[in-house]
Amino acid sequence: MSGRPEDDEFREYVVTRGPALLRTAYGLTGNRADAEDLLQAALTKTYLAWDRIQDRNSLDGYVRRAMVNTQISWWRRRKLEEYPSDEMPELASDDPAHRSDLHDMMWRALERLPPRQRDAVVLRYYEDLPESEIAHVLGITIGTVKSTVSRAIAKLRGDLETDDLAPQAKTT
């Protein structure tokens, strides 16, 4: 195929694990386009380090960590680029991933969480990672993971009970 067995091994990994990793990226970013960009950046970093990764069983953790680190870097950069404006942004187009009202409410509530809380909730409940692995991926202590997830869940419950996240009535 490509000449290097490592390239074929990496390609097989991406084909096999790509959809699951894209779901994780979506959970971290909140929209498909950013998720695809985030996953691409993380896979590029993984490819460049492929020969140095000894434990192939930990590849998902390596890619997730790369996604979290990249996302944090993007947030920091974005903070400098965001300025208040008198103009309202364009409305988002209909995303097929948001067709379910419950699904839509859940993602809107997740998007309102601070980045670290959102990351912790996605890794804990969407990726079903244990607290110890979340602590490792996010570079925080297990106690911080527990308190962060607890505060996030409390905020999500509160947000889901308010009317502003309720599905919008469709008018004809």
Side-chain angles (χ1 to χ4, degrees), residues 65-99:
R65 181 65 189 188
M67 283 193 286
V68 168
N69 288 346
T70 302
Q71 182 70 354
I72 289 169
S73 174
W74 290 353
W75 292 325
R76 288 179 180 151
R77 192 175 321 130
R78 224 177 275 147
K79 284 181 183 176
L80 299 174
E81 297 171 359
E82 293 179 2
Y83 300 99
S85 172
D86 290 335
E87 297 176 25
M88 293 294 292
E90 293 180 25
L91 295 176
S93 63
D94 183 33
D95 183 353
H98 290 273
R99 291 193 182 154

PDB file of all heavy atoms in Angstrom, residues 65-99:
ATOM      1  N   ARG A  65      -6.010  12.536  24.810  1.00  0.00           N
ATOM      2  CA  ARG A  65      -5.181  13.544  25.477  1.00  0.00           C
ATOM      3  C   ARG A  65      -4.762  14.621  24.470  1.00  0.00           C
ATOM      4  O   ARG A  65      -4.772  15.814  24.774  1.00  0.00           O
ATOM      5  CB  ARG A  65      -3.960  12.879  26.110  1.00  0.00           C
ATOM      6  CG  ARG A  65      -3.053  13.834  26.841  1.00  0.00           C
ATOM      7  CD  ARG A  65      -3.770  14.430  28.020  1.00  0.00           C
ATOM      8  NE  ARG A  65      -2.974  15.502  28.577  1.00  0.00           N
ATOM      9  CZ  ARG A  65      -3.253  16.105  29.691  1.00  0.00           C
ATOM     10  NH1 ARG A  65      -4.291  15.742  30.399  1.00  0.00           N
ATOM     11  NH2 ARG A  65      -2.511  17.080  30.129  1.00  0.00           N
ATOM     12  N   ALA A  66      -4.401  14.213  23.267  1.00  0.00           N
ATOM     13  CA  ALA A  66      -4.028  15.174  22.230  1.00  0.00           C
ATOM     14  C   ALA A  66      -5.215  16.083  21.887  1.00  0.00           C
ATOM     15  O   ALA A  66      -5.039  17.287  21.664  1.00  0.00           O
ATOM     16  CB  ALA A  66      -3.524  14.449  20.981  1.00  0.00           C
ATOM     17  N   MET A  67      -6.427  15.510  21.858  1.00  0.00           N
ATOM     18  CA  MET A  67      -7.617  16.326  21.567  1.00  0.00           C
ATOM     19  C   MET A  67      -7.846  17.341  22.680  1.00  0.00           C
ATOM     20  O   MET A  67      -8.120  18.511  22.411  1.00  0.00           O
ATOM     21  CB  MET A  67      -8.855  15.440  21.383  1.00  0.00           C
ATOM     22  CG  MET A  67      -8.897  14.748  20.048  1.00  0.00           C
ATOM     23  SD  MET A  67     -10.493  13.995  19.658  1.00  0.00           S
ATOM     24  CE  MET A  67     -10.504  12.575  20.724  1.00  0.00           C
ATOM     25  N   VAL A  68      -7.761  16.896  23.931  1.00  0.00           N
ATOM     26  CA  VAL A  68      -7.984  17.810  25.053  1.00  0.00           C
ATOM     27  C   VAL A  68      -6.938  18.919  25.044  1.00  0.00           C
ATOM     28  O   VAL A  68      -7.267  20.101  25.180  1.00  0.00           O
ATOM     29  CB  VAL A  68      -7.981  17.042  26.399  1.00  0.00           C
ATOM     30  CG1 VAL A  68      -7.926  17.998  27.575  1.00  0.00           C
ATOM     31  CG2 VAL A  68      -9.208  16.154  26.505  1.00  0.00           C
ATOM     32  N   ASN A  69      -5.666  18.562  24.868  1.00  0.00           N
ATOM     33  CA  ASN A  69      -4.610  19.574  24.844  1.00  0.00           C
ATOM     34  C   ASN A  69      -4.801  20.559  23.686  1.00  0.00           C
ATOM     35  O   ASN A  69      -4.640  21.769  23.859  1.00  0.00           O
ATOM     36  CB  ASN A  69      -3.234  18.911  24.723  1.00  0.00           C
ATOM     37  CG  ASN A  69      -2.822  18.212  25.992  1.00  0.00           C
ATOM     38  OD1 ASN A  69      -3.403  18.410  27.050  1.00  0.00           O
ATOM     39  ND2 ASN A  69      -1.821  17.360  25.888  1.00  0.00           N
ATOM     40  N   THR A  70      -5.163  20.046  22.536  1.00  0.00           N
ATOM     41  CA  THR A  70      -5.387  20.914  21.379  1.00  0.00           C
ATOM     42  C   THR A  70      -6.577  21.828  21.617  1.00  0.00           C
ATOM     43  O   THR A  70      -6.526  23.028  21.325  1.00  0.00           O
ATOM     44  CB  THR A  70      -5.604  20.063  20.107  1.00  0.00           C
ATOM     45  OG1 THR A  70      -4.456  19.235  19.914  1.00  0.00           O
ATOM     46  CG2 THR A  70      -5.824  20.934  18.887  1.00  0.00           C
ATOM     47  N   GLN A  71      -7.654  21.274  22.175  1.00  0.00           N
ATOM     48  CA  GLN A  71      -8.845  22.077  22.459  1.00  0.00           C
ATOM     49  C   GLN A  71      -8.527  23.195  23.450  1.00  0.00           C
ATOM     50  O   GLN A  71      -8.950  24.333  23.262  1.00  0.00           O
ATOM     51  CB  GLN A  71      -9.968  21.180  22.990  1.00  0.00           C
ATOM     52  CG  GLN A  71     -11.259  21.894  23.265  1.00  0.00           C
ATOM     53  CD  GLN A  71     -11.976  22.369  22.013  1.00  0.00           C
ATOM     54  OE1 GLN A  71     -11.485  22.285  20.897  1.00  0.00           O
ATOM     55  NE2 GLN A  71     -13.149  22.906  22.197  1.00  0.00           N
ATOM     56  N   ILE A  72      -7.770  22.872  24.489  1.00  0.00           N
ATOM     57  CA  ILE A  72      -7.379  23.898  25.460  1.00  0.00           C
ATOM     58  C   ILE A  72      -6.560  24.985  24.778  1.00  0.00           C
ATOM     59  O   ILE A  72      -6.777  26.179  25.007  1.00  0.00           O
ATOM     60  CB  ILE A  72      -6.603  23.259  26.626  1.00  0.00           C
ATOM     61  CG1 ILE A  72      -7.557  22.421  27.489  1.00  0.00           C
ATOM     62  CG2 ILE A  72      -5.909  24.320  27.483  1.00  0.00           C
ATOM     63  CD1 ILE A  72      -6.872  21.533  28.504  1.00  0.00           C
ATOM     64  N   SER A  73      -5.645  24.592  23.922  1.00  0.00           N
ATOM     65  CA  SER A  73      -4.826  25.559  23.188  1.00  0.00           C
ATOM     66  C   SER A  73      -5.711  26.451  22.316  1.00  0.00           C
ATOM     67  O   SER A  73      -5.517  27.670  22.251  1.00  0.00           O
ATOM     68  CB  SER A  73      -3.810  24.809  22.333  1.00  0.00           C
ATOM     69  OG  SER A  73      -3.104  25.691  21.504  1.00  0.00           O
ATOM     70  N   TRP A  74      -6.696  25.853  21.652  1.00  0.00           N
ATOM     71  CA  TRP A  74      -7.610  26.639  20.815  1.00  0.00           C
ATOM     72  C   TRP A  74      -8.439  27.611  21.643  1.00  0.00           C
ATOM     73  O   TRP A  74      -8.700  28.731  21.216  1.00  0.00           O
ATOM     74  CB  TRP A  74      -8.501  25.719  19.995  1.00  0.00           C
ATOM     75  CG  TRP A  74      -7.788  24.983  18.905  1.00  0.00           C
ATOM     76  CD1 TRP A  74      -6.495  25.141  18.490  1.00  0.00           C
ATOM     77  CD2 TRP A  74      -8.337  23.960  18.079  1.00  0.00           C
ATOM     78  NE1 TRP A  74      -6.203  24.285  17.463  1.00  0.00           N
ATOM     79  CE2 TRP A  74      -7.319  23.541  17.182  1.00  0.00           C
ATOM     80  CE3 TRP A  74      -9.567  23.347  18.003  1.00  0.00           C
ATOM     81  CZ2 TRP A  74      -7.507  22.551  16.240  1.00  0.00           C
ATOM     82  CZ3 TRP A  74      -9.763  22.358  17.053  1.00  0.00           C
ATOM     83  CH2 TRP A  74      -8.747  21.965  16.182  1.00  0.00           C
ATOM     84  N   TRP A  75      -8.887  27.181  22.836  1.00  0.00           N
ATOM     85  CA  TRP A  75      -9.671  28.091  23.691  1.00  0.00           C
ATOM     86  C   TRP A  75      -8.836  29.300  24.063  1.00  0.00           C
ATOM     87  O   TRP A  75      -9.304  30.419  24.040  1.00  0.00           O
ATOM     88  CB  TRP A  75     -10.097  27.422  24.988  1.00  0.00           C
ATOM     89  CG  TRP A  75     -11.089  26.333  24.889  1.00  0.00           C
ATOM     90  CD1 TRP A  75     -12.128  26.219  24.019  1.00  0.00           C
ATOM     91  CD2 TRP A  75     -11.125  25.173  25.709  1.00  0.00           C
ATOM     92  NE1 TRP A  75     -12.801  25.066  24.249  1.00  0.00           N
ATOM     93  CE2 TRP A  75     -12.217  24.404  25.283  1.00  0.00           C
ATOM     94  CE3 TRP A  75     -10.364  24.712  26.758  1.00  0.00           C
ATOM     95  CZ2 TRP A  75     -12.550  23.206  25.875  1.00  0.00           C
ATOM     96  CZ3 TRP A  75     -10.703  23.522  27.355  1.00  0.00           C
ATOM     97  CH2 TRP A  75     -11.780  22.777  26.900  1.00  0.00           C
ATOM     98  N   ARG A  76      -7.600  29.046  24.464  1.00  0.00           N
ATOM     99  CA  ARG A  76      -6.741  30.157  24.876  1.00  0.00           C
ATOM    100  C   ARG A  76      -6.532  31.130  23.724  1.00  0.00           C
ATOM    101  O   ARG A  76      -6.552  32.341  23.917  1.00  0.00           O
ATOM    102  CB  ARG A  76      -5.402  29.616  25.367  1.00  0.00           C
ATOM    103  CG  ARG A  76      -5.529  28.929  26.695  1.00  0.00           C
ATOM    104  CD  ARG A  76      -4.215  28.373  27.160  1.00  0.00           C
ATOM    105  NE  ARG A  76      -4.383  27.707  28.455  1.00  0.00           N
ATOM    106  CZ  ARG A  76      -3.652  26.705  28.865  1.00  0.00           C
ATOM    107  NH1 ARG A  76      -2.674  26.239  28.097  1.00  0.00           N
ATOM    108  NH2 ARG A  76      -3.865  26.155  30.036  1.00  0.00           N
ATOM    109  N   ARG A  77      -6.312  30.603  22.539  1.00  0.00           N
ATOM    110  CA  ARG A  77      -6.110  31.445  21.376  1.00  0.00           C
ATOM    111  C   ARG A  77      -7.395  32.197  21.047  1.00  0.00           C
ATOM    112  O   ARG A  77      -7.377  33.377  20.706  1.00  0.00           O
ATOM    113  CB  ARG A  77      -5.678  30.587  20.185  1.00  0.00           C
ATOM    114  CG  ARG A  77      -5.168  31.398  19.038  1.00  0.00           C
ATOM    115  CD  ARG A  77      -4.614  30.556  17.905  1.00  0.00           C
ATOM    116  NE  ARG A  77      -3.877  29.393  18.347  1.00  0.00           N
ATOM    117  CZ  ARG A  77      -4.079  28.155  17.883  1.00  0.00           C
ATOM    118  NH1 ARG A  77      -4.986  27.937  16.963  1.00  0.00           N
ATOM    119  NH2 ARG A  77      -3.373  27.147  18.332  1.00  0.00           N
ATOM    120  N   ARG A  78      -8.542  31.507  21.142  1.00  0.00           N
ATOM    121  CA  ARG A  78      -9.830  32.109  20.798  1.00  0.00           C
ATOM    122  C   ARG A  78     -10.185  33.243  21.746  1.00  0.00           C
ATOM    123  O   ARG A  78     -10.826  34.210  21.350  1.00  0.00           O
ATOM    124  CB  ARG A  78     -10.919  31.035  20.838  1.00  0.00           C
ATOM    125  CG  ARG A  78     -11.853  31.128  19.674  1.00  0.00           C
ATOM    126  CD  ARG A  78     -12.870  30.028  19.666  1.00  0.00           C
ATOM    127  NE  ARG A  78     -12.295  28.852  19.021  1.00  0.00           N
ATOM    128  CZ  ARG A  78     -12.575  27.609  19.357  1.00  0.00           C
ATOM    129  NH1 ARG A  78     -13.411  27.366  20.315  1.00  0.00           N
ATOM    130  NH2 ARG A  78     -12.019  26.609  18.736  1.00  0.00           N
ATOM    131  N   LYS A  79      -9.808  33.142  23.014  1.00  0.00           N
ATOM    132  CA  LYS A  79     -10.125  34.193  23.975  1.00  0.00           C
ATOM    133  C   LYS A  79      -9.557  35.530  23.529  1.00  0.00           C
ATOM    134  O   LYS A  79     -10.132  36.568  23.770  1.00  0.00           O
ATOM    135  CB  LYS A  79      -9.577  33.834  25.357  1.00  0.00           C
ATOM    136  CG  LYS A  79     -10.373  32.794  26.073  1.00  0.00           C
ATOM    137  CD  LYS A  79      -9.798  32.518  27.432  1.00  0.00           C
ATOM    138  CE  LYS A  79     -10.560  31.411  28.121  1.00  0.00           C
ATOM    139  NZ  LYS A  79      -9.983  31.049  29.405  1.00  0.00           N
ATOM    140  N   LEU A  80      -8.412  35.489  22.876  1.00  0.00           N
ATOM    141  CA  LEU A  80      -7.798  36.718  22.405  1.00  0.00           C
ATOM    142  C   LEU A  80      -8.456  37.245  21.143  1.00  0.00           C
ATOM    143  O   LEU A  80      -8.297  38.403  20.804  1.00  0.00           O
ATOM    144  CB  LEU A  80      -6.309  36.470  22.132  1.00  0.00           C
ATOM    145  CG  LEU A  80      -5.476  36.029  23.327  1.00  0.00           C
ATOM    146  CD1 LEU A  80      -4.058  35.687  22.884  1.00  0.00           C
ATOM    147  CD2 LEU A  80      -5.459  37.106  24.400  1.00  0.00           C
ATOM    148  N   GLU A  81      -9.190  36.389  20.438  1.00  0.00           N
ATOM    149  CA  GLU A  81      -9.786  36.774  19.171  1.00  0.00           C
ATOM    150  C   GLU A  81     -11.253  37.182  19.296  1.00  0.00           C
ATOM    151  O   GLU A  81     -11.842  37.619  18.328  1.00  0.00           O
ATOM    152  CB  GLU A  81      -9.669  35.615  18.171  1.00  0.00           C
ATOM    153  CG  GLU A  81      -8.240  35.246  17.836  1.00  0.00           C
ATOM    154  CD  GLU A  81      -8.150  33.976  17.016  1.00  0.00           C
ATOM    155  OE1 GLU A  81      -9.196  33.361  16.721  1.00  0.00           O
ATOM    156  OE2 GLU A  81      -7.034  33.594  16.671  1.00  0.00           O
ATOM    157  N   GLU A  82     -11.854  37.015  20.456  1.00  0.00           N
ATOM    158  CA  GLU A  82     -13.267  37.325  20.609  1.00  0.00           C
ATOM    159  C   GLU A  82     -13.438  38.738  21.165  1.00  0.00           C
ATOM    160  O   GLU A  82     -12.874  39.080  22.195  1.00  0.00           O
ATOM    161  CB  GLU A  82     -13.935  36.316  21.548  1.00  0.00           C
ATOM    162  CG  GLU A  82     -13.986  34.926  20.965  1.00  0.00           C
ATOM    163  CD  GLU A  82     -14.619  33.918  21.912  1.00  0.00           C
ATOM    164  OE1 GLU A  82     -15.044  34.316  23.012  1.00  0.00           O
ATOM    165  OE2 GLU A  82     -14.674  32.759  21.533  1.00  0.00           O
ATOM    166  N   TYR A  83     -14.238  39.501  20.450  1.00  0.00           N
ATOM    167  CA  TYR A  83     -14.503  40.867  20.851  1.00  0.00           C
ATOM    168  C   TYR A  83     -15.999  41.118  20.794  1.00  0.00           C
ATOM    169  O   TYR A  83     -16.685  40.581  19.929  1.00  0.00           O
ATOM    170  CB  TYR A  83     -13.785  41.855  19.915  1.00  0.00           C
ATOM    171  CG  TYR A  83     -12.283  41.671  19.913  1.00  0.00           C
ATOM    172  CD1 TYR A  83     -11.660  40.949  18.912  1.00  0.00           C
ATOM    173  CD2 TYR A  83     -11.512  42.205  20.926  1.00  0.00           C
ATOM    174  CE1 TYR A  83     -10.291  40.764  18.909  1.00  0.00           C
ATOM    175  CE2 TYR A  83     -10.144  42.033  20.944  1.00  0.00           C
ATOM    176  CZ  TYR A  83      -9.528  41.312  19.933  1.00  0.00           C
ATOM    177  OH  TYR A  83      -8.178  41.133  19.938  1.00  0.00           O
ATOM    178  N   PRO A  84     -16.517  41.957  21.676  1.00  0.00           N
ATOM    179  CA  PRO A  84     -17.954  42.266  21.621  1.00  0.00           C
ATOM    180  C   PRO A  84     -18.309  42.967  20.318  1.00  0.00           C
ATOM    181  O   PRO A  84     -17.484  43.663  19.730  1.00  0.00           O
ATOM    182  CB  PRO A  84     -18.179  43.198  22.819  1.00  0.00           C
ATOM    183  CG  PRO A  84     -16.862  43.422  23.448  1.00  0.00           C
ATOM    184  CD  PRO A  84     -15.827  42.626  22.751  1.00  0.00           C
ATOM    185  N   SER A  85     -19.551  42.771  19.904  1.00  0.00           N
ATOM    186  CA  SER A  85     -19.999  43.360  18.647  1.00  0.00           C
ATOM    187  C   SER A  85     -21.447  43.798  18.781  1.00  0.00           C
ATOM    188  O   SER A  85     -22.206  43.242  19.558  1.00  0.00           O
ATOM    189  CB  SER A  85     -19.867  42.320  17.536  1.00  0.00           C
ATOM    190  OG  SER A  85     -20.452  42.802  16.363  1.00  0.00           O
ATOM    191  N   ASP A  86     -21.817  44.797  17.993  1.00  0.00           N
ATOM    192  CA  ASP A  86     -23.206  45.243  17.959  1.00  0.00           C
ATOM    193  C   ASP A  86     -24.053  44.383  17.035  1.00  0.00           C
ATOM    194  O   ASP A  86     -25.271  44.466  17.049  1.00  0.00           O
ATOM    195  CB  ASP A  86     -23.291  46.697  17.478  1.00  0.00           C
ATOM    196  CG  ASP A  86     -22.732  47.660  18.515  1.00  0.00           C
ATOM    197  OD1 ASP A  86     -22.732  47.308  19.708  1.00  0.00           O
ATOM    198  OD2 ASP A  86     -22.297  48.755  18.121  1.00  0.00           O
ATOM    199  N   GLU A  87     -23.404  43.556  16.220  1.00  0.00           N
ATOM    200  CA  GLU A  87     -24.119  42.732  15.258  1.00  0.00           C
ATOM    201  C   GLU A  87     -24.391  41.348  15.834  1.00  0.00           C
ATOM    202  O   GLU A  87     -23.530  40.761  16.477  1.00  0.00           O
ATOM    203  CB  GLU A  87     -23.304  42.582  13.973  1.00  0.00           C
ATOM    204  CG  GLU A  87     -23.073  43.889  13.265  1.00  0.00           C
ATOM    205  CD  GLU A  87     -22.189  43.714  12.045  1.00  0.00           C
ATOM    206  OE1 GLU A  87     -22.154  42.591  11.491  1.00  0.00           O
ATOM    207  OE2 GLU A  87     -21.536  44.687  11.659  1.00  0.00           O
ATOM    208  N   MET A  88     -25.585  40.857  15.579  1.00  0.00           N
ATOM    209  CA  MET A  88     -25.934  39.508  16.022  1.00  0.00           C
ATOM    210  C   MET A  88     -25.320  38.493  15.059  1.00  0.00           C
ATOM    211  O   MET A  88     -25.281  38.728  13.850  1.00  0.00           O
ATOM    212  CB  MET A  88     -27.464  39.320  16.033  1.00  0.00           C
ATOM    213  CG  MET A  88     -28.169  40.165  17.071  1.00  0.00           C
ATOM    214  SD  MET A  88     -27.739  39.684  18.748  1.00  0.00           S
ATOM    215  CE  MET A  88     -28.502  38.092  18.830  1.00  0.00           C
ATOM    216  N   PRO A  89     -24.846  37.363  15.592  1.00  0.00           N
ATOM    217  CA  PRO A  89     -24.295  36.343  14.696  1.00  0.00           C
ATOM    218  C   PRO A  89     -25.401  35.673  13.888  1.00  0.00           C
ATOM    219  O   PRO A  89     -26.575  35.709  14.261  1.00  0.00           O
ATOM    220  CB  PRO A  89     -23.652  35.340  15.658  1.00  0.00           C
ATOM    221  CG  PRO A  89     -24.363  35.543  16.941  1.00  0.00           C
ATOM    222  CD  PRO A  89     -24.779  36.988  16.976  1.00  0.00           C
ATOM    223  N   GLU A  90     -25.012  35.063  12.777  1.00  0.00           N
ATOM    224  CA  GLU A  90     -25.971  34.333  11.969  1.00  0.00           C
ATOM    225  C   GLU A  90     -26.467  33.131  12.756  1.00  0.00           C
ATOM    226  O   GLU A  90     -25.740  32.561  13.553  1.00  0.00           O
ATOM    227  CB  GLU A  90     -25.319  33.846  10.679  1.00  0.00           C
ATOM    228  CG  GLU A  90     -24.921  34.959   9.742  1.00  0.00           C
ATOM    229  CD  GLU A  90     -24.285  34.411   8.475  1.00  0.00           C
ATOM    230  OE1 GLU A  90     -24.577  33.259   8.114  1.00  0.00           O
ATOM    231  OE2 GLU A  90     -23.508  35.153   7.867  1.00  0.00           O
ATOM    232  N   LEU A  91     -27.709  32.751  12.513  1.00  0.00           N
ATOM    233  CA  LEU A  91     -28.251  31.573  13.171  1.00  0.00           C
ATOM    234  C   LEU A  91     -27.617  30.319  12.582  1.00  0.00           C
ATOM    235  O   LEU A  91     -27.352  30.246  11.383  1.00  0.00           O
ATOM    236  CB  LEU A  91     -29.769  31.510  13.000  1.00  0.00           C
ATOM    237  CG  LEU A  91     -30.550  32.638  13.677  1.00  0.00           C
ATOM    238  CD1 LEU A  91     -32.036  32.515  13.353  1.00  0.00           C
ATOM    239  CD2 LEU A  91     -30.331  32.596  15.174  1.00  0.00           C
ATOM    240  N   ALA A  92     -27.395  29.332  13.453  1.00  0.00           N
ATOM    241  CA  ALA A  92     -26.806  28.072  13.003  1.00  0.00           C
ATOM    242  C   ALA A  92     -27.778  27.350  12.083  1.00  0.00           C
ATOM    243  O   ALA A  92     -28.994  27.415  12.253  1.00  0.00           O
ATOM    244  CB  ALA A  92     -26.457  27.197  14.197  1.00  0.00           C
ATOM    245  N   SER A  93     -27.232  26.649  11.117  1.00  0.00           N
ATOM    246  CA  SER A  93     -28.079  25.870  10.222  1.00  0.00           C
ATOM    247  C   SER A  93     -28.546  24.607  10.933  1.00  0.00           C
ATOM    248  O   SER A  93     -27.986  24.209  11.943  1.00  0.00           O
ATOM    249  CB  SER A  93     -27.309  25.516   8.953  1.00  0.00           C
ATOM    250  OG  SER A  93     -26.219  24.694   9.293  1.00  0.00           O
ATOM    251  N   ASP A  94     -29.555  23.979  10.388  1.00  0.00           N
ATOM    252  CA  ASP A  94     -30.091  22.760  10.974  1.00  0.00           C
ATOM    253  C   ASP A  94     -29.049  21.649  10.875  1.00  0.00           C
ATOM    254  O   ASP A  94     -28.635  21.275   9.787  1.00  0.00           O
ATOM    255  CB  ASP A  94     -31.375  22.345  10.251  1.00  0.00           C
ATOM    256  CG  ASP A  94     -32.012  21.124  10.877  1.00  0.00           C
ATOM    257  OD1 ASP A  94     -31.900  20.965  12.106  1.00  0.00           O
ATOM    258  OD2 ASP A  94     -32.616  20.327  10.131  1.00  0.00           O
ATOM    259  N   ASP A  95     -28.623  21.147  12.023  1.00  0.00           N
ATOM    260  CA  ASP A  95     -27.638  20.073  12.085  1.00  0.00           C
ATOM    261  C   ASP A  95     -28.391  18.774  12.324  1.00  0.00           C
ATOM    262  O   ASP A  95     -29.116  18.648  13.300  1.00  0.00           O
ATOM    263  CB  ASP A  95     -26.659  20.352  13.229  1.00  0.00           C
ATOM    264  CG  ASP A  95     -25.549  19.332  13.321  1.00  0.00           C
ATOM    265  OD1 ASP A  95     -25.592  18.321  12.600  1.00  0.00           O
ATOM    266  OD2 ASP A  95     -24.630  19.552  14.125  1.00  0.00           O
ATOM    267  N   PRO A  96     -28.236  17.776  11.448  1.00  0.00           N
ATOM    268  CA  PRO A  96     -28.967  16.516  11.613  1.00  0.00           C
ATOM    269  C   PRO A  96     -28.718  15.848  12.964  1.00  0.00           C
ATOM    270  O   PRO A  96     -29.572  15.122  13.451  1.00  0.00           O
ATOM    271  CB  PRO A  96     -28.437  15.634  10.486  1.00  0.00           C
ATOM    272  CG  PRO A  96     -27.843  16.558   9.502  1.00  0.00           C
ATOM    273  CD  PRO A  96     -27.413  17.775  10.253  1.00  0.00           C
ATOM    274  N   ALA A  97     -27.589  16.114  13.591  1.00  0.00           N
ATOM    275  CA  ALA A  97     -27.288  15.502  14.886  1.00  0.00           C
ATOM    276  C   ALA A  97     -28.197  16.044  15.987  1.00  0.00           C
ATOM    277  O   ALA A  97     -28.298  15.455  17.055  1.00  0.00           O
ATOM    278  CB  ALA A  97     -25.828  15.727  15.248  1.00  0.00           C
ATOM    279  N   HIS A  98     -28.860  17.166  15.721  1.00  0.00           N
ATOM    280  CA  HIS A  98     -29.689  17.805  16.756  1.00  0.00           C
ATOM    281  C   HIS A  98     -31.189  17.631  16.521  1.00  0.00           C
ATOM    282  O   HIS A  98     -31.979  18.416  17.036  1.00  0.00           O
ATOM    283  CB  HIS A  98     -29.363  19.297  16.820  1.00  0.00           C
ATOM    284  CG  HIS A  98     -28.027  19.578  17.374  1.00  0.00           C
ATOM    285  ND1 HIS A  98     -27.779  19.709  18.710  1.00  0.00           N
ATOM    286  CD2 HIS A  98     -26.828  19.712  16.772  1.00  0.00           C
ATOM    287  CE1 HIS A  98     -26.514  19.938  18.911  1.00  0.00           C
ATOM    288  NE2 HIS A  98     -25.902  19.944  17.748  1.00  0.00           N
ATOM    289  N   ARG A  99     -31.584  16.641  15.768  1.00  0.00           N
ATOM    290  CA  ARG A  99     -33.009  16.509  15.440  1.00  0.00           C
ATOM    291  C   ARG A  99     -33.856  16.083  16.622  1.00  0.00           C
ATOM    292  O   ARG A  99     -34.995  16.464  16.739  1.00  0.00           O
ATOM    293  CB  ARG A  99     -33.182  15.561  14.266  1.00  0.00           C
ATOM    294  CG  ARG A  99     -32.648  16.190  12.995  1.00  0.00           C
ATOM    295  CD  ARG A  99     -33.044  15.467  11.771  1.00  0.00           C
ATOM    296  NE  ARG A  99     -32.425  16.146  10.632  1.00  0.00           N
ATOM    297  CZ  ARG A  99     -32.140  15.579   9.513  1.00  0.00           C
ATOM    298  NH1 ARG A  99     -32.426  14.318   9.323  1.00  0.00           N
ATOM    299  NH2 ARG A  99     -31.573  16.259   8.544  1.00  0.00           N
TER     300      ARG A  99
END
